[in-house]
Amino acid sequence: MPQKINIIGSGFSSLAASCYLAKAGYQVEVFEKNSSVGGRARQFKKDGFTFDIGPTWYWMPDVFERFFSDFNKKSSDYYSLEKLDPAYQVYFGKDDSVIIPGSLDEIFESFEKEETGSSKKLQKFITKARDNYNIAIKELVYRPGISPMELITPETAKRLGRFFTNISSEVRKDFTNPKLRKILEFPVLFLGAKPSDTPAFYSFMNYADFGLGTWHPTGGMYKVIEGIKELAESLGVKFHLNSPVQKIITEKGKARGIMVNGKEFTADIILSGADYHHSEQLLPEKLRQYSESYWKKKTFAPSSLLFYVGFDKKIKNVSHHTLFFDSSFEDHAKDIYDDPKWPDNPLFYASFPSITDGTCAPEGKEAGIFLIPLAPDLEDTEELREHYFNIILERFEKITDQKLKTNIIFKESFCVKDFKEAYNSYKGNAYGMANTLFQTAFLRPKLKSKKVDQLYFTGQLSVPGPGVPPSLISGKLAAGLIEKYEKN
């Protein structure tokens, strides 16, 4: 009889792990608390509009292709991709925006228009970023975070200094134009920390941005979830929806099953892709690896206030992805990381997938997603949500020179309380644990429990870190450890 594995949660990491484990011959069942798979990457549909609830950026296409190739498949077997051109647009004020084109050569030209001589500096910067990418994404991130020695290679030894300087200082050393600085610091926000707290080695995110480009799966990011679920089911994985796990059952220091809706589901191995902190709450306190004080000391990626809005007309003067950096980057970062509070004048992001993809909104209408990054665990009320929606919509209307308030068909919101309720997210964080120097690789929560045999973890609070591509990799790493340690 094949060994049986129960997986908690069905986000990207859990789905990836389920595929690898099923391929390796395990009997795999996935238990998801919500009514659809996907974890944070679920989908919301209303009145002919389709919204991705969570991730909206498709970066690092090579990581997705590497995942599917492990099963002799391609992403195109499950969904179609379109490279965005422009990749995105950044507003710094009314009639003041920088458009990031879809090709690297055109990006060099855009930088040169903003700051004479910056194209040559950017070429050098991106060459370094590409080198870091080749080392990080093709090598280091596929290591399971067991030992610090995983990070020691001839290539990393040459670049040791980049781990002890930060992105912000690296960017500011070469670029004086404040707009270009903000654009170059933006990608590391996906890693969940301030640029000044993120090692310069993570400039590989700039190569992911400029070098590999921004893509859109037709139908939205949820098409990727559906594709991986289809692959998993073809490999024999069984899914249970509306199945919140209440307890991880242990016996003599070994995981032996899970309790779901009052019913026991036994297994030889348990893998949790749910929030790591929550997963350990499913165990007796003596079997938890990490104390409450441990979690409180960690730097968590932001939470978010999100709005999903249906408009009755097409919106002008914006791109599919549009960033609004017309207020202080530094002040907003302080309100997230240094003195957590609701921001006085927030930066925000808007996505209009229906600009690219006609399946996301009825003809002549627009689907809009708005996001304000927030500190985790803030007070979250309907009054605050409405207040901040009015703030960003007024700025949006002024900057893009159009009126939209009377064109709203509907508006739904998602914030700190929803992250806690829907995903058991620690403090309502949206992206997991930040990738700061002391929260990287072997310094992150472990994939294999140190206290309970046959218990494993995966996802954005573990190795390698936050983001969709790292979550896919995390699932592969967890599955690899299970194969290594648990094979009969």
Side-chain angles (χ1 to χ4, degrees):
M1 284 286 290
Q3 287 177 289
K4 184 176 180 182
I5 297 180
N6 287 344
I7 298 180
I8 304 171
S10 66
F12 276 106
S13 58
S14 291
L15 289 176
S18 76
C19 293
Y20 286 109
L21 292 166
K23 180 187 175 188
Y26 292 96
Q27 182 184 339
V28 182
E29 297 193 25
V30 176
F31 295 81
E32 167 57 51
K33 77 182 287 287
N34 293 306
S35 59
S36 60
V37 301
R40 285 168 165 81
R42 293 181 300 148
Q43 190 179 63
F44 166 56
K45 291 188 173 187
K46 184 172 181 176
D47 298 346
F49 292 83
T50 299
F51 305 87
D52 285 312
I53 291 178
T56 55
W57 294 75
Y58 191 104
W59 272 6
M60 303 185 191
D62 53 319
V63 174
F64 293 87
E65 295 305 336
R66 182 166 173 175
F67 166 76
F68 284 112
S69 70
D70 286 340
F71 304 91
N72 295 315
K73 300 287 185 180
K74 302 185 295 291
S75 66
S76 58
D77 293 327
Y78 300 97
Y79 52 89
S80 59
L81 284 172
E82 180 176 348
K83 190 174 186 182
L84 298 183
D85 189 6
Y88 55 92
Q89 182 173 3
V90 186
Y91 270 104
F92 298 95
K94 184 173 172 57
D95 302 321
D96 184 9
S97 75
V98 175
I99 289 177
I100 302 301
S103 79
L104 192 51
D105 286 341
E106 289 177 296
I107 294 171
F108 293 144
E109 290 175 15
S110 292
F111 267 55
E112 190 65 24
K113 286 177 187 174
E114 292 294 325
E115 180 180 335
T116 302
S118 64
S119 60
K120 290 184 179 178
K121 293 177 183 177
L122 182 60
Q123 287 177 36
K124 291 179 182 177
F125 185 85
I126 291 299
T127 297
K128 278 187 189 177
R130 184 189 61 211
D131 291 344
N132 290 346
Y133 189 91
N134 288 334
I135 295 164
I137 302 302
K138 296 182 180 178
E139 189 176 351
L140 294 184
V141 295
Y142 285 92
R143 298 179 179 184
I146 294 172
S147 162
M149 297 308 295
E150 293 173 3
L151 297 178
I152 308 300
T153 70
E155 294 302 321
T156 57
K158 293 177 195 172
R159 295 163 175 80
L160 197 58
R162 294 186 199 173
F163 286 92
F164 295 97
T165 56
N166 62 65
I167 284 285
S168 187
S169 63
E170 192 91 344
V171 167
R172 287 159 194 267
K173 182 178 65 181
D174 293 329
F175 299 89
T176 57
N177 184 294
K179 296 179 193 176
L180 300 186
R181 285 177 170 179
K182 287 180 181 178
I183 290 169
L184 287 169
E185 289 177 344
F186 150 68
V188 302
L189 298 180
F190 285 102
L191 301 173
K194 292 191 296 186
S196 58
D197 290 335
T198 303
F201 182 74
Y202 284 102
S203 69
F204 65 73
M205 292 295 292
N206 294 102
Y207 179 70
D209 177 2
F210 290 174
L212 299 176
T214 303
W215 301 73
H216 175 74
T218 302
M221 287 291 288
Y222 196 69
K223 289 297 178 184
V224 186
I225 289 288
E226 290 179 330
I228 301 175
K229 179 176 182 275
E230 182 183 337
L231 172 60
E233 287 179 324
S234 74
L235 294 165
V237 177
K238 183 178 179 182
F239 289 87
H240 302 265
L241 302 178
N242 301 303
S243 298
V245 174
Q246 299 153 318
K247 179 181 179 183
I248 295 174
I249 300 166
T250 60
E251 182 182 308
K252 297 179 180 177
K254 295 182 179 181
R256 283 290 175 245
I258 54 178
M259 180 78 72
V260 179
N261 293 325
K263 182 180 177 183
E264 290 188 13
F265 291 82
T266 59
D268 301 293
I269 300 156
I270 304 298
L271 170 63
S272 183
D275 176 276
Y276 205 122
H277 173 269
H278 169 74
S279 300
E280 288 221 309
Q281 303 307 300
L282 303 175
L283 292 164
E285 190 170 350
K286 65 181 181 181
L287 296 179
R288 298 171 193 166
Q289 305 167 89
Y290 305 106
S291 66
E292 286 301 309
S293 63
Y294 169 89
W295 293 109
K296 286 176 183 176
K297 291 174 186 173
K298 295 301 171 185
T299 301
F300 273 81
S303 186
S304 298
L305 170 56
L306 289 136
F307 296 99
Y308 312 98
V309 188
F311 293 97
D312 68 6
K313 69 174 185 179
K314 301 300 287 184
I315 294 177
K316 62 182 183 179
N317 301 331
V318 292
S319 298
H320 181 133
H321 296 298
T322 306
L323 301 161
F324 290 82
F325 285 179
D326 55 308
S327 60
S328 170
F329 190 103
E330 291 75 17
D331 288 350
H332 193 161
K334 286 177 186 174
D335 292 340
I336 294 174
Y337 297 104
D338 302 332
D339 180 22
K341 66 184 181 70
W342 281 87
D344 294 324
N345 198 16
L347 286 74
F348 66 98
Y349 154 67
S351 173
F352 304 96
S354 45
I355 288 177
T356 302
D357 185 349
T359 70
C360 294
E363 188 174 353
K365 299 178 182 180
E366 205 86 271
I369 301 167
F370 297 82
L371 182 152
I372 302 173
L374 297 173
D377 219 20
L378 293 181
E379 178 190 15
D380 174 13
T381 66
E382 289 302 319
E383 292 77 16
L384 279 165
R385 296 186 189 196
E386 192 64 22
H387 173 69
Y388 277 88
F389 181 74
N390 289 330
I391 285 175
I392 63 172
L393 189 64
E394 285 175 13
R395 277 170 50 197
F396 183 93
E397 288 180 324
K398 181 180 178 181
I399 289 168
T400 63
D401 194 27
Q402 62 197 308
K403 295 294 183 184
L404 290 171
K405 282 183 182 176
T406 59
N407 300 104
I408 294 172
I409 303 169
F410 64 84
K411 173 178 96 267
E412 301 286 346
S413 64
F414 199 95
C415 197
V416 174
K417 285 195 300 191
D418 301 300
F419 280 102
K420 292 178 180 179
E421 183 181 332
Y423 312 126
N424 295 308
S425 169
Y426 182 69
K427 293 187 175 182
N429 79 81
Y431 308 112
M433 187 185 287
N435 257 341
T436 60
L437 178 60
F438 294 106
Q439 292 181 179
T440 294
F442 66 96
L443 297 172
R444 297 180 71 81
K446 302 299 183 187
L447 294 166
K448 184 180 188 298
S449 174
K450 297 176 286 187
K451 290 194 173 183
V452 181
D453 290 338
Q454 283 93 60
L455 176 61
Y456 294 79
F457 302 88
T458 187
Q460 56 190 8
L461 269 70
S462 188
V463 181
V468 174
S471 291
L472 283 179
I473 294 167
S474 185
K476 179 174 184 173
L477 294 175
L481 286 185
I482 289 171
E483 285 191 70
K484 178 178 180 180
Y485 290 111
E486 307 297 344
K487 271 290 188 185
N488 280 333

